[in-house]
Amino acid sequence: MAHQALIAKGDIAKHVSGARLWNRLMELAQFGALPKGGVNRQALSGEEIAARACLVRWAKTIGLEPSTDAAANLFLSYRGKEPALPPVLIGSHIDSQPTGGKFDGALGVLAALESVEAIIANRVRPRRTVEIVAWMNEEGSRFAPGMMGSAVFSGARKLSDILTVRDAAGVSVESELHRLLTAEPQLRQRPFGMKPAAFLEIHIEQGPVLENKNKSVGIVTGIQGKRTFRVQVDGEEAHAGTSPRIARRDALVAAIDVVHALQNAMWDPEDVVRFTVGMFNVTPNAPSVVPARVVFSIDLRHPDVATLRKLGDAIPEVCQAARVRCDISVKELLHDPPLEFPKSIRHMIQSVAQALGVSWMNIASGAGHDARYLHYVCPTGMIFIPCRNGISHNEAESVQETHAADGTRVLAEATFTLANTI
Ligand SMILES: [Zn+2]
């Protein structure tokens, strides 16, 4: 990339309006607003449909062309001088957790909109088209797993695979996609298979590092790897009053031993390993019945490929050794290796931050993001901004307006640079 000559004289950044961005963040947060200041705007909900309509309205005001695909990814395009070239994509998601905050995802989409508005104000059309994107169902709280839209866009999953996924009320992705797409008859439908020239995503850190180090921006080095498992422990139901200890095959007692053994096996004095049992279902879950079955989840994450492999591979053995008198089965559901974003993109973002005088540091992402899927399709980079006390997936999630503006200035210049040089 011969972008050095073009880097950040601040021509674009000076048109970024922190106040306009902030007002839009507050306005978008009205869709699905909760009493404690958070947001419930889950994927493909009525609240998300309304928020999309609002985004499309804003985009049309500044001359962008909206379109969507069959997975309900939303695109807002600003045409470049050479529109036949693959575009530069920038964005994130606008769906939220059921008790989410105002900034997780929304910042990435609205900062992208602000960036394009700044590029337009500079009156020099970039070579490539710039497209803002809001990916469908990043959070996965209503329809699991998350990052559905970016997975289908990137070819990691087939559209047909996600259509049959149902929420807790039994409603399918297929019927909600149909509802959403019928609510937007004016949007142009686009096919899958477009390969972008690059993708950038700005997001809140969702951790405390940037705040503690007093930096405005984090340049994300990569995303740690993740493996998930489902463990089923089978014992036998028995009467709580009559069944003696010797006769019991208590699935709950066995499961507790197994979780304890796993906790020990995953112990890391340096606290880099992330090991979580977040779901634990007991059957029949009745006060006077010895539990017959426990199903629990394992979420294991680590930034190093070899360590993640070693720890994850040990899980079935640890479970077998600790199962006492019950049967146990371990099923791996997901194995996403750690990834590292290309140095060329990271260095370009770094030069931009430096030129703009925005304080920055390198940082690894502990959470997954849509950028994970885009990474395998095109050169991809991420920018983090600090959030208060690292709190996220929580109504109390909060950021400073100046950090949001600084991050957006970096994003805007980086986007313009990529659209002209990559
Ligand atoms: Zn997010």
Side-chain angles (χ1 to χ4, degrees), residues 128-406:
R128 287 179 191 271
T129 295
V130 176
E131 293 197 311
I132 299 156
V133 58
W135 300 112
M136 189 273 285
N137 186 25
E138 193 277 342
E139 297 289 359
S141 51
R142 181 179 178 201
F143 299 108
M147 299 179 223
M148 261 181 188
S150 52
V152 172
F153 177 88
S154 66
R157 296 187 76 186
K158 287 206 211 75
L159 180 65
S160 55
D161 288 350
I162 66 163
L163 294 180
T164 51
V165 176
R166 287 174 189 278
D167 67 9
V171 182
S172 70
V173 167
E174 184 169 27
S175 68
E176 289 297 71
L177 276 176
H178 181 74
R179 182 169 78 110
L180 179 141
L181 296 172
T182 350
E184 300 174 342
Q186 79 287 9
L187 290 205
R188 184 173 64 85
Q189 293 274 332
R190 52 197 271 166
F192 293 115
M194 184 268 279
K195 194 174 166 333
F199 175 64
L200 293 180
E201 178 169 9
I202 182 169
H203 204 279
I204 59 169
E205 182 200 334
Q206 306 182 286
V209 177
L210 293 174
E211 188 178 58
N212 289 342
K213 304 266 184 195
N214 208 13
K215 303 288 184 195
S216 298
V217 154
I219 297 165
V220 182
T221 51
I223 300 181
Q224 69 177 338
K226 175 176 173 180
R227 298 178 76 169
T228 65
F229 301 82
R230 178 139 308 173
V231 183
Q232 181 170 323
V233 184
D234 282 302
E236 198 172 19
E237 282 175 33
H239 193 295
T242 58
S243 173
R245 195 167 58 217
I246 187 84
R248 289 189 184 201
R249 293 175 64 229
D250 186 326
L252 177 57
V253 169
I256 288 168
D257 285 350
V258 170
V259 171
H260 194 232
L262 285 168
Q263 187 78 31
N264 287 336
M266 303 296 138
W267 175 254
D268 170 17
E270 276 157 24
D271 196 21
V272 179
V273 173
R274 295 282 169 267
F275 170 79
T276 306
V277 173
M279 185 206 79
F280 202 87
N281 285 329
V282 182
T283 308
N285 209 19
S288 299
V289 182
V290 173
R293 173 174 289 176
V294 169
V295 176
F296 68 88
S297 62
I298 296 173
D299 179 311
L300 174 69
R301 305 190 200 203
H302 201 279
D304 176 62
V305 143
T307 312
L308 183 70
R309 192 182 310 122
K310 188 176 78 154
L311 289 174
D313 289 355
I315 284 177
E317 220 172 290
V318 174
C319 289
Q320 284 298 338
R323 71 193 167 87
V324 204
R325 304 172 60 223
C326 293
D327 299 319
I328 198 160
S329 65
V330 181
K331 189 177 173 210
E332 181 155 17
L333 304 177
L334 174 107
H335 187 163
D336 280 340
L339 65 85
E340 198 184 312
F341 292 126
K343 286 205 175 66
S344 55
I345 297 273
R346 284 151 54 196
H347 289 160
M348 183 273 293
I349 299 172
Q350 185 183 318
S351 325
V352 167
Q354 236 142 9
L356 296 178
V358 173
S359 63
W360 65 274
M361 64 179 282
N362 288 319
I363 187 168
S365 176
H369 295 285
D370 292 303
R372 161 175 283 288
Y373 284 116
L374 273 295
H375 171 73
Y376 296 106
V377 177
C378 63
T380 292
M382 282 195 82
I383 300 165
F384 278 172
I385 66 158
C387 57
R388 184 160 52 85
N389 297 329
I391 293 170
S392 183
H393 286 187
N394 186 317
E395 287 195 58
E397 189 182 270
S398 160
V399 309
Q400 285 183 30
E401 188 176 331
T402 50
H403 290 147
D406 279 349

Side-chain angles (χ1 to χ4, degrees), residues 33-50:
L34 294 172
K36 282 190 266 171
V39 170
N40 177 8
R41 193 170 55 233
Q42 297 189 71
L44 306 177
S45 63
E47 290 80 11
E48 198 194 27
I49 293 175

